[in-house]
Amino acid sequence: PANATLRAVIQKPLVPRTIVQTGKTFTHALVQHARYMATWWSLNPEYTYRFYSDLDADAFVAKRATASEQSAWNALTVGAQRADLFRMLYLKYCGGVYADLDAELGRPLREIMNYRSSAVTGLYWPFECLIYAPGHPIIVEAARLAVEKVMDQARLEKTQNPRRCRNAQQ
């Protein structure tokens, strides 16, 4: 068993060993959710931990996303909606493990998935924890649909209230 665990850690996994979380700022996130956040990095020392602030997420989308994904990103004004889109775009391009700040991990990720896993889904993690290899068809399609829905909503709002949309752009 020890050799199997070591081999799984050494093998190059399909899902990058990166845990990603996002929030307004790292300091703000720690004040609110340090206990939960710590479960991710303390149980998974073989993983890289990355925190994306709102500004970091803006920069990531500007650098990596397509024009339509950037348009959808810019159309969103609510932080939670932006976090939802960001997690899909990040996983589409980079892959890894995305976890909400208030999601607590009860056991190491190596016990949940192996190096051959390209995606992990579960009954208890509908959207607060997403685990995908980069370019996985499920996350690619989810991102495409999310962008489509955001842009549909933006067009609808523009036709229903063109003055408000014009004022928001100024």
Side-chain angles (χ1 to χ4, degrees), residues 116-139:
R116 293 180 308 267
S117 300
S118 63
V120 177
T121 59
L123 296 174
Y124 305 106
W125 286 347
F127 207 60
E128 64 268 8
C129 177
L130 299 173
I131 303 172
Y132 287 99
H136 193 284
I138 292 173
I139 202 68

Side-chain angles (χ1 to χ4, degrees), residues 61-62 64-74 93 147 151:
V61 171
R64 301 291 298 269
T66 66
S68 61
E69 292 165 346
Q70 289 177 18
S71 294
W73 177 258
N74 293 327
Y93 291 107
V147 166
M151 296 312 295

Side-chain angles (χ1 to χ4, degrees), residues 25-138:
T25 66
F26 186 69
T27 302
H28 183 264
L30 280 176
V31 168
Q32 300 291 317
H33 305 290
R35 188 184 102 206
Y36 301 121
M37 293 167 68
T39 63
W40 292 90
W41 64 69
S42 65
L43 290 172
N44 303 290
E46 70 274 23
Y47 280 70
T48 300
Y49 177 84
R50 290 198 174 125
F51 182 89
Y52 281 81
S53 69
D54 289 349
L55 292 175
D56 297 330
D58 284 339
F60 179 90
V61 171
K63 181 178 179 181
R64 301 291 298 269
T66 66
S68 61
E69 292 165 346
Q70 289 177 18
S71 294
W73 177 258
N74 293 327
L76 294 173
T77 57
V78 177
Q81 293 172 329
R82 292 183 124 216
D84 289 346
L85 184 56
F86 175 77
R87 75 184 79 188
M88 286 185 277
L89 294 177
Y90 182 88
L91 293 172
K92 173 186 172 184
Y93 291 107
C94 301
V97 178
Y98 175 89
D100 278 352
L101 293 172
D102 59 355
E104 183 175 15
L105 186 63
R107 59 188 180 145
L109 290 167
R110 66 187 157 281
E111 294 178 10
I112 298 168
M113 57 191 256
N114 65 50
Y115 71 95
R116 293 180 308 267
S117 300
S118 63
V120 177
T121 59
L123 296 174
Y124 305 106
W125 286 347
F127 207 60
E128 64 268 8
C129 177
L130 299 173
I131 303 172
Y132 287 99
H136 193 284
I138 292 173

